[in-house]
């Protein structure tokens, strides 16, 4: 039996869709179905009720769903120990967080939480938005911090997940300053397109910046010069004067204050996203529930 079969099964249990689950696991649907069949064959029990639609779990499937999460956690702990690393201290909380939030938002947020709640022992899993959400729903972390926008939502409506709104983040265009003005102001000119630093196709901010460019107050005249999936990489390219980029406010606060970067467009060229925190109550950990009780009294629920 392969642990990825259990991970596949947990995704299917969460989505209720073979098609959607195959997409999330980056597999074709036939390949995904074969892995679920292989897990059922190894267990000697049907996990999926294939006589109904939409997809439902059998009694055996429901039982495995309850046991698979702690089982995978124990396997990961064992693997860490066998690699010669010290296991995490008792009560350590694991956060799945996109790269950008891990650089800028999370450290300041954690400082504020610890000022009222007390010191926390944390492990941060930084990745792209998709992988952070996937790690969370597969039981790989206690908490998920992520962005949310109505046109690119993170939907975690299952009763075992709790959600809180921590605040908002704005994505705006930024450029180096030249005489107090942006060197590359939007919208640019058709005869002289602005050098544009963009996000790779798999990045969450690619979708957000595309929304801005499509729905902007007027057509933007841009010439794509560079792509990456990380906002921090685009910030460094922007600071070096290579063009303009859409960056989250929290990541450029110091550069704006020092005058190194300035906004390259007005409010109409910005988009607001919620910063949300989700809790996986099925983990059943006292440290997690204590923290969540503290946070739920201070932030509005999703």
């Amino acid at each position: 039996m392969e642990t990825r079969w259990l991970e596949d099964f947990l995704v299917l249990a969460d989505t209720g869709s073979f098609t959607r689950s195959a997409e999330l696991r980056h597999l074709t649907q036939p390949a995904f179905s074969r892995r679920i069949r292989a897990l059922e064959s190894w267990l000697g029990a049907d996990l999926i009720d294939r006589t109904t639609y939409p997809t439902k779990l059998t009694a055996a499937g429901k039982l495995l769903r309850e046991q698979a999460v702690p089982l995978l956690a124990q396997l990961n702990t064992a693997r860490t120990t066998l690699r010669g690393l010290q296991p995490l201290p008792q009560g350590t909380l694991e956060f799945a967080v996109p790269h950008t939030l891990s650089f800028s938002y999370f450290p300041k947020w954690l400082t504020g939480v610890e000022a009222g709640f007390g010191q926390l022992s944390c492990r941060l899993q930084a990745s792209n938005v998709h992988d952070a959400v996937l790690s969370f729903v597969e039981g790989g972390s206690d908490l998920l911090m992520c962005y949310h926008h109505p046109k690119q939502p993170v939907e975690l409506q299952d009763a075992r997940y709790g959600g809180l709104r921590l605040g908002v983040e704005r994505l705006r265009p930024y450029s180096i300053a030249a005489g107090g003005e942006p060197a590359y102001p939007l919208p640019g000119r058709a005869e002289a397109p602005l050098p544009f630093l963009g996000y790779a196709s798999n990045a969450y901010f690619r979708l957000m910046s595309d929304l801005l460019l499509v729905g902007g107050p007027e057509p933007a005249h841009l010439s794509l010069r560079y792509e990456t999936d990380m906002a921090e990489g685009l910030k460094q390219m922007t600071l070096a004067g290579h063009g303009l980029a859409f960056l989250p406010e929290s990541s450029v606060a110091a550069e704006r204050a020092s005058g190194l970067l300035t906004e390259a467009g007005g409010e109409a060229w910005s988009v607001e996203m919620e910063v949300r925190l989700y809790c996986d109550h099925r983990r059943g950990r006292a440290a997690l529930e204590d923290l969540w009780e503290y946070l739920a009294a201070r932030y509005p629920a999703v």
Side-chain angles (χ1 to χ4, degrees):
M1 198 275 290
E2 300 184 35
T3 56
R4 62 180 179 174
W5 295 351
L6 287 176
E7 294 167 353
D8 292 339
F9 169 72
L10 287 175
V11 173
L12 179 58
D14 283 330
T15 65
S17 166
F18 275 85
T19 301
R20 178 60 178 153
S21 298
E23 291 174 354
L24 291 173
R25 297 293 286 168
H26 303 292
L27 295 168
T28 64
Q29 185 170 332
F32 181 84
S33 297
R34 284 195 297 271
R35 279 165 48 161
I36 296 297
R37 287 286 193 187
L39 177 60
E40 291 178 315
S41 176
W42 186 84
L43 290 168
D46 289 334
L47 303 174
I48 308 300
D49 184 351
R50 293 175 173 82
T51 66
T52 64
Y53 184 86
T55 299
K56 293 182 179 179
L57 300 182
T58 63
K62 292 177 182 178
L63 179 62
L64 179 62
R65 186 181 193 175
E66 293 176 0
Q67 297 184 356
V69 173
L71 177 59
L72 284 172
Q74 291 169 13
L75 287 171
N76 287 332
T77 299
R79 181 177 60 182
T80 298
T81 303
L82 290 172
R83 286 175 174 174
L85 302 176
Q86 291 296 321
L88 293 169
Q90 186 71 24
T92 295
L93 297 178
E94 299 206 33
F95 288 79
V97 184
H99 288 295
T100 301
L101 286 171
S102 72
F103 286 131
S104 56
Y105 193 95
F106 182 84
K108 294 179 181 178
W109 174 81
L110 183 62
T111 298
V113 170
E114 289 187 328
F117 180 78
Q119 189 171 4
L120 290 171
S121 177
C122 305
R123 180 181 181 184
L124 192 69
Q125 303 172 15
S127 61
N128 60 44
V129 174
H130 172 271
D131 289 347
V133 175
L134 191 59
S135 171
F136 178 69
V137 300
E138 289 179 350
S141 64
D142 300 298
L143 297 139
L144 166 70
M145 182 180 287
C146 63
Y147 294 111
H148 174 90
H149 186 275
K151 292 189 177 179
Q152 192 60 35
V154 172
E155 299 290 358
L156 295 173
Q157 302 299 331
D158 194 291
R160 68 178 177 274
Y161 298 128
L164 301 173
R165 295 183 177 90
L166 302 185
V168 297
E169 175 81 280
R170 279 193 173 273
L171 192 71
R172 299 178 183 271
Y174 290 95
S175 161
I176 57 168
E181 299 294 327
Y184 306 108
L186 284 171
R189 305 191 313 276
E191 63 274 17
L194 300 174
F196 181 56
L197 312 174
Y199 293 94
S201 60
N202 63 336
Y204 185 86
F205 285 157
R206 169 65 175 269
L207 301 168
M208 293 295 100
S209 55
D210 283 350
L211 282 176
L212 283 170
L213 292 174
V214 171
E218 54 188 308
H221 303 286
L222 305 172
S223 175
L224 183 62
R225 301 291 179 82
Y226 179 78
E227 278 189 347
T228 183
D229 59 355
M230 294 182 63
E232 187 66 20
L234 288 190
K235 183 178 81 170
Q236 296 304 319
M237 289 291 287
T238 306
L239 285 167
H242 290 287
L244 76 88
F246 288 100
L247 300 168
E249 282 182 328
S250 64
S251 72
V252 297
E255 291 78 10
R256 289 180 63 198
S258 65
L260 292 174
L261 292 180
T262 186
E263 293 177 18
E267 286 295 318
W269 290 105
S270 70
V271 62
E272 186 175 275
M273 303 162 291
E274 288 184 357
V275 178
R276 292 185 173 186
L277 187 71
Y278 289 94
C279 168
D280 187 348
H281 291 295
R282 64 184 171 178
R283 307 275 282 192
R285 306 183 61 200
L288 175 61
E289 297 304 324
D290 289 345
L291 174 63
W292 195 255
E293 182 180 359
Y294 172 84
L295 295 174
R298 287 156 179 80
Y299 295 102
V302 170

